Amino acid sequence: MAEHEELHDEDVIVVMTNEDGDERYYREEMIIPIGEDRFAVLIALTATSEEELENAEEGDEATIAKIVTDDDGEDIYTDPTDEEFDAVRRAYEEMLEEEEE
């Protein structure tokens, strides 16, 4: 699971913690709705701490997270199933192809 915070007026920064307790920072590139669910395309940032976010650059890594709303109305980012991941990847690729036309 991950939490998110606003870095600038527009950027949503998602902080994901791995099983070793290491935090990784991502910028939310876009939200892709599929059926009733929402998925975020997240781009890795070079920051290794909250203090470095202001000057962070985008890395080469991207990932997909499912957005679920908890009982308090907060968005929680979770791992999608393999089927959900494939559906989002296909939708994202179709969007990119449409932009190129």
Side-chain angles (χ1 to χ4, degrees), residues 58-75:
E58 292 185 357
D60 295 334
E61 180 187 341
T63 192
I64 296 170
K66 183 175 184 176
I67 303 172
V68 214
T69 304
D70 68 10
D71 294 337
D72 296 327
E74 296 290 323
D75 286 343

PDB file of all heavy atoms in Angstrom, residues 58-75:
ATOM      1  N   GLU A  58      12.353  12.583 -13.078  1.00  0.00           N
ATOM      2  CA  GLU A  58      11.703  11.318 -13.378  1.00  0.00           C
ATOM      3  C   GLU A  58      12.734  10.270 -13.751  1.00  0.00           C
ATOM      4  O   GLU A  58      13.665  10.552 -14.482  1.00  0.00           O
ATOM      5  CB  GLU A  58      10.699  11.481 -14.521  1.00  0.00           C
ATOM      6  CG  GLU A  58       9.505  12.318 -14.133  1.00  0.00           C
ATOM      7  CD  GLU A  58       8.457  12.384 -15.230  1.00  0.00           C
ATOM      8  OE1 GLU A  58       8.673  11.817 -16.323  1.00  0.00           O
ATOM      9  OE2 GLU A  58       7.429  13.013 -14.980  1.00  0.00           O
ATOM     10  N   GLY A  59      12.530   9.059 -13.241  1.00  0.00           N
ATOM     11  CA  GLY A  59      13.393   7.950 -13.584  1.00  0.00           C
ATOM     12  C   GLY A  59      12.833   7.190 -14.777  1.00  0.00           C
ATOM     13  O   GLY A  59      11.894   7.632 -15.444  1.00  0.00           O
ATOM     14  N   ASP A  60      13.404   6.031 -15.050  1.00  0.00           N
ATOM     15  CA  ASP A  60      12.988   5.214 -16.189  1.00  0.00           C
ATOM     16  C   ASP A  60      11.850   4.256 -15.841  1.00  0.00           C
ATOM     17  O   ASP A  60      11.236   3.681 -16.724  1.00  0.00           O
ATOM     18  CB  ASP A  60      14.164   4.389 -16.712  1.00  0.00           C
ATOM     19  CG  ASP A  60      15.257   5.278 -17.273  1.00  0.00           C
ATOM     20  OD1 ASP A  60      14.944   6.401 -17.707  1.00  0.00           O
ATOM     21  OD2 ASP A  60      16.426   4.850 -17.263  1.00  0.00           O
ATOM     22  N   GLU A  61      11.585   4.065 -14.569  1.00  0.00           N
ATOM     23  CA  GLU A  61      10.618   3.069 -14.126  1.00  0.00           C
ATOM     24  C   GLU A  61       9.204   3.644 -14.058  1.00  0.00           C
ATOM     25  O   GLU A  61       8.992   4.769 -13.638  1.00  0.00           O
ATOM     26  CB  GLU A  61      11.018   2.570 -12.734  1.00  0.00           C
ATOM     27  CG  GLU A  61      10.101   1.541 -12.152  1.00  0.00           C
ATOM     28  CD  GLU A  61      10.459   1.211 -10.713  1.00  0.00           C
ATOM     29  OE1 GLU A  61      11.583   1.489 -10.284  1.00  0.00           O
ATOM     30  OE2 GLU A  61       9.574   0.691 -10.028  1.00  0.00           O
ATOM     31  N   ALA A  62       8.246   2.836 -14.481  1.00  0.00           N
ATOM     32  CA  ALA A  62       6.829   3.171 -14.334  1.00  0.00           C
ATOM     33  C   ALA A  62       6.124   1.949 -13.766  1.00  0.00           C
ATOM     34  O   ALA A  62       6.570   0.815 -13.958  1.00  0.00           O
ATOM     35  CB  ALA A  62       6.220   3.565 -15.664  1.00  0.00           C
ATOM     36  N   THR A  63       5.044   2.181 -13.059  1.00  0.00           N
ATOM     37  CA  THR A  63       4.274   1.083 -12.504  1.00  0.00           C
ATOM     38  C   THR A  63       2.802   1.449 -12.515  1.00  0.00           C
ATOM     39  O   THR A  63       2.445   2.601 -12.761  1.00  0.00           O
ATOM     40  CB  THR A  63       4.767   0.715 -11.082  1.00  0.00           C
ATOM     41  OG1 THR A  63       4.181  -0.515 -10.687  1.00  0.00           O
ATOM     42  CG2 THR A  63       4.439   1.802 -10.079  1.00  0.00           C
ATOM     43  N   ILE A  64       1.964   0.462 -12.266  1.00  0.00           N
ATOM     44  CA  ILE A  64       0.519   0.667 -12.219  1.00  0.00           C
ATOM     45  C   ILE A  64       0.035   0.287 -10.836  1.00  0.00           C
ATOM     46  O   ILE A  64       0.437  -0.744 -10.292  1.00  0.00           O
ATOM     47  CB  ILE A  64      -0.187  -0.185 -13.291  1.00  0.00           C
ATOM     48  CG1 ILE A  64       0.246   0.273 -14.683  1.00  0.00           C
ATOM     49  CG2 ILE A  64      -1.700  -0.136 -13.126  1.00  0.00           C
ATOM     50  CD1 ILE A  64      -0.202  -0.633 -15.805  1.00  0.00           C
ATOM     51  N   ALA A  65      -0.826   1.116 -10.255  1.00  0.00           N
ATOM     52  CA  ALA A  65      -1.410   0.832  -8.949  1.00  0.00           C
ATOM     53  C   ALA A  65      -2.916   0.986  -9.027  1.00  0.00           C
ATOM     54  O   ALA A  65      -3.434   1.852  -9.733  1.00  0.00           O
ATOM     55  CB  ALA A  65      -0.851   1.782  -7.891  1.00  0.00           C
ATOM     56  N   LYS A  66      -3.617   0.131  -8.304  1.00  0.00           N
ATOM     57  CA  LYS A  66      -5.069   0.242  -8.207  1.00  0.00           C
ATOM     58  C   LYS A  66      -5.377   1.220  -7.074  1.00  0.00           C
ATOM     59  O   LYS A  66      -4.746   1.181  -6.020  1.00  0.00           O
ATOM     60  CB  LYS A  66      -5.681  -1.124  -7.902  1.00  0.00           C
ATOM     61  CG  LYS A  66      -7.191  -1.118  -7.845  1.00  0.00           C
ATOM     62  CD  LYS A  66      -7.726  -2.523  -7.654  1.00  0.00           C
ATOM     63  CE  LYS A  66      -9.244  -2.534  -7.697  1.00  0.00           C
ATOM     64  NZ  LYS A  66      -9.762  -3.914  -7.615  1.00  0.00           N
ATOM     65  N   ILE A  67      -6.342   2.101  -7.296  1.00  0.00           N
ATOM     66  CA  ILE A  67      -6.723   3.080  -6.278  1.00  0.00           C
ATOM     67  C   ILE A  67      -8.026   2.617  -5.634  1.00  0.00           C
ATOM     68  O   ILE A  67      -9.036   2.431  -6.313  1.00  0.00           O
ATOM     69  CB  ILE A  67      -6.918   4.479  -6.890  1.00  0.00           C
ATOM     70  CG1 ILE A  67      -5.657   4.923  -7.618  1.00  0.00           C
ATOM     71  CG2 ILE A  67      -7.322   5.476  -5.810  1.00  0.00           C
ATOM     72  CD1 ILE A  67      -5.822   6.196  -8.404  1.00  0.00           C
ATOM     73  N   VAL A  68      -7.972   2.407  -4.323  1.00  0.00           N
ATOM     74  CA  VAL A  68      -9.142   2.007  -3.561  1.00  0.00           C
ATOM     75  C   VAL A  68      -9.395   3.083  -2.506  1.00  0.00           C
ATOM     76  O   VAL A  68      -8.441   3.605  -1.928  1.00  0.00           O
ATOM     77  CB  VAL A  68      -8.924   0.665  -2.840  1.00  0.00           C
ATOM     78  CG1 VAL A  68     -10.195  -0.133  -2.779  1.00  0.00           C
ATOM     79  CG2 VAL A  68      -7.851  -0.182  -3.439  1.00  0.00           C
ATOM     80  N   THR A  69     -10.644   3.399  -2.267  1.00  0.00           N
ATOM     81  CA  THR A  69     -10.976   4.399  -1.255  1.00  0.00           C
ATOM     82  C   THR A  69     -11.292   3.675   0.043  1.00  0.00           C
ATOM     83  O   THR A  69     -12.138   2.774   0.073  1.00  0.00           O
ATOM     84  CB  THR A  69     -12.171   5.250  -1.717  1.00  0.00           C
ATOM     85  OG1 THR A  69     -11.863   5.823  -2.985  1.00  0.00           O
ATOM     86  CG2 THR A  69     -12.466   6.355  -0.725  1.00  0.00           C
ATOM     87  N   ASP A  70     -10.607   4.075   1.140  1.00  0.00           N
ATOM     88  CA  ASP A  70     -10.848   3.436   2.430  1.00  0.00           C
ATOM     89  C   ASP A  70     -12.095   4.022   3.102  1.00  0.00           C
ATOM     90  O   ASP A  70     -12.771   4.899   2.552  1.00  0.00           O
ATOM     91  CB  ASP A  70      -9.617   3.517   3.336  1.00  0.00           C
ATOM     92  CG  ASP A  70      -9.282   4.918   3.801  1.00  0.00           C
ATOM     93  OD1 ASP A  70     -10.096   5.848   3.601  1.00  0.00           O
ATOM     94  OD2 ASP A  70      -8.197   5.094   4.389  1.00  0.00           O
ATOM     95  N   ASP A  71     -12.408   3.541   4.303  1.00  0.00           N
ATOM     96  CA  ASP A  71     -13.609   3.970   5.021  1.00  0.00           C
ATOM     97  C   ASP A  71     -13.603   5.455   5.360  1.00  0.00           C
ATOM     98  O   ASP A  71     -14.660   6.051   5.567  1.00  0.00           O
ATOM     99  CB  ASP A  71     -13.770   3.149   6.308  1.00  0.00           C
ATOM    100  CG  ASP A  71     -14.038   1.682   6.005  1.00  0.00           C
ATOM    101  OD1 ASP A  71     -14.523   1.382   4.894  1.00  0.00           O
ATOM    102  OD2 ASP A  71     -13.767   0.837   6.883  1.00  0.00           O
ATOM    103  N   ASP A  72     -12.409   6.059   5.431  1.00  0.00           N
ATOM    104  CA  ASP A  72     -12.291   7.483   5.749  1.00  0.00           C
ATOM    105  C   ASP A  72     -12.321   8.362   4.498  1.00  0.00           C
ATOM    106  O   ASP A  72     -12.128   9.573   4.590  1.00  0.00           O
ATOM    107  CB  ASP A  72     -10.996   7.750   6.524  1.00  0.00           C
ATOM    108  CG  ASP A  72     -10.979   7.051   7.872  1.00  0.00           C
ATOM    109  OD1 ASP A  72     -12.063   6.905   8.478  1.00  0.00           O
ATOM    110  OD2 ASP A  72      -9.886   6.647   8.315  1.00  0.00           O
ATOM    111  N   GLY A  73     -12.499   7.751   3.331  1.00  0.00           N
ATOM    112  CA  GLY A  73     -12.532   8.510   2.085  1.00  0.00           C
ATOM    113  C   GLY A  73     -11.160   8.803   1.509  1.00  0.00           C
ATOM    114  O   GLY A  73     -11.033   9.550   0.544  1.00  0.00           O
ATOM    115  N   GLU A  74     -10.109   8.212   2.074  1.00  0.00           N
ATOM    116  CA  GLU A  74      -8.743   8.408   1.587  1.00  0.00           C
ATOM    117  C   GLU A  74      -8.425   7.396   0.491  1.00  0.00           C
ATOM    118  O   GLU A  74      -8.816   6.232   0.570  1.00  0.00           O
ATOM    119  CB  GLU A  74      -7.737   8.232   2.732  1.00  0.00           C
ATOM    120  CG  GLU A  74      -7.877   9.255   3.832  1.00  0.00           C
ATOM    121  CD  GLU A  74      -7.440  10.636   3.402  1.00  0.00           C
ATOM    122  OE1 GLU A  74      -6.463  10.740   2.632  1.00  0.00           O
ATOM    123  OE2 GLU A  74      -8.096  11.598   3.811  1.00  0.00           O
ATOM    124  N   ASP A  75      -7.698   7.845  -0.531  1.00  0.00           N
ATOM    125  CA  ASP A  75      -7.262   6.947  -1.594  1.00  0.00           C
ATOM    126  C   ASP A  75      -6.067   6.136  -1.129  1.00  0.00           C
ATOM    127  O   ASP A  75      -5.100   6.684  -0.604  1.00  0.00           O
ATOM    128  CB  ASP A  75      -6.875   7.732  -2.855  1.00  0.00           C
ATOM    129  CG  ASP A  75      -8.086   8.258  -3.602  1.00  0.00           C
ATOM    130  OD1 ASP A  75      -9.204   7.770  -3.349  1.00  0.00           O
ATOM    131  OD2 ASP A  75      -7.908   9.148  -4.438  1.00  0.00           O
TER     132      ASP A  75
END
